[in-house]
Amino acid sequence: MSTTRLLVLGGVVRRSGRAHGYEVRRELMSWGSDEWAHVNPGSIYHALKQLAKEGMLRAHDVEESDAGPPHTDYEITEAGRAEFLRLLRCALAMVDVRHPEMLTAGLGFLTELSRDEAVGLLRQRLDGLAEWRASVVPHREEADPDDHLRELLGWWVHTADSASAWTRGLIERLEAGAYVMAGDPPPPA
């Protein structure tokens, strides 16, 4: 699963309609994605071109005008929207200790889902965290108390516990009505 794909597709979705590559890049860089997801400007432009080649985005060449030099605008297709939602759902539900940036990216687009769906995915995440923790605990208990690698196993148990507590808190906040989610009525003016 690719964090860059999720971020780029989501960046186009968030821009609503058509987005220039520079606009997508600027938004993602403003999130600090170059630091936490190691997404650099070159990978954003490469992803835009690749996603257009795969039919996830539609490229529109814009000629030079008083508004600026020639450039390409991108528009998400139905296939791109489906891929975005697939990646978003995976990012929120799956536990991948090797790629925490997927959850980070997914949280950036959390409100693109309905409240019920987001809560359901986060409950799946809780199940995955419990499974991961349960797979680590026996190894920690079997390890020689003098082996410093017990600390690594202890760190993983602590990480699973902390992530579970945070996820339960987010579920509670969502169930209490935090944030305007897809399908929610607009907030009163």
Side-chain angles (χ1 to χ4, degrees):
M1 195 162 35
S2 167
T3 304
T4 303
R5 283 174 73 89
L6 173 58
L7 287 168
V8 169
L9 287 169
V12 174
V13 167
R14 180 124 328 146
R15 297 305 258 157
S16 300
R18 287 166 57 154
H20 182 300
Y22 178 75
E23 294 169 323
V24 173
R25 179 183 143 214
R26 186 177 59 214
E27 181 165 340
L28 297 181
M29 292 296 113
S30 76
W31 295 9
S33 63
D34 53 329
E35 304 230 353
W36 54 264
H38 310 291
V39 174
N40 62 52
S43 63
I44 292 169
Y45 289 110
H46 174 76
L48 286 165
K49 289 177 184 171
Q50 184 62 34
L51 289 163
K53 184 177 173 182
E54 293 173 20
M56 305 290 168
L57 297 174
R58 188 171 298 111
H60 301 277
D61 291 329
V62 177
E63 293 184 16
E64 184 172 4
S65 70
D66 291 341
H71 61 273
T72 303
D73 282 349
Y74 294 91
E75 176 181 20
I76 197 157
T77 64
E78 285 303 314
R81 179 103 176 129
E83 175 69 356
F84 164 70
L85 290 171
R86 184 189 73 77
L87 290 169
L88 175 56
R89 290 173 178 128
C90 288
L92 294 174
M94 288 182 24
V95 175
D96 186 346
V97 297
R98 295 164 299 153
H99 298 286
E101 71 276 3
M102 280 303 295
L103 173 61
T104 306
L107 291 171
F109 302 112
L110 178 68
T111 59
E112 296 292 327
L113 299 172
S114 72
R115 188 171 307 281
D116 288 343
E117 183 175 17
V119 167
L121 292 166
L122 292 167
R123 289 193 192 286
Q124 288 179 39
R125 179 172 206 77
L126 282 175
D127 292 343
L129 287 165
E131 288 174 21
W132 176 47
R133 186 187 193 285
S135 73
V136 172
V137 168
H139 298 290
R140 184 171 182 260
E141 291 171 354
E142 294 168 4
D144 180 343
D146 294 329
D147 186 348
H148 73 282
L149 291 178
R150 283 187 91 231
E151 295 300 332
L152 171 62
L153 298 169
W155 168 247
W156 286 345
V157 169
H158 172 77
T159 300
D161 290 343
S162 297
S164 294
W166 175 85
T167 303
R168 282 191 295 277
L170 177 55
I171 290 170
E172 288 172 12
R173 290 186 294 281
L174 288 172
E175 289 178 334
Y179 316 115
V180 175
M181 305 293 288
D184 284 355

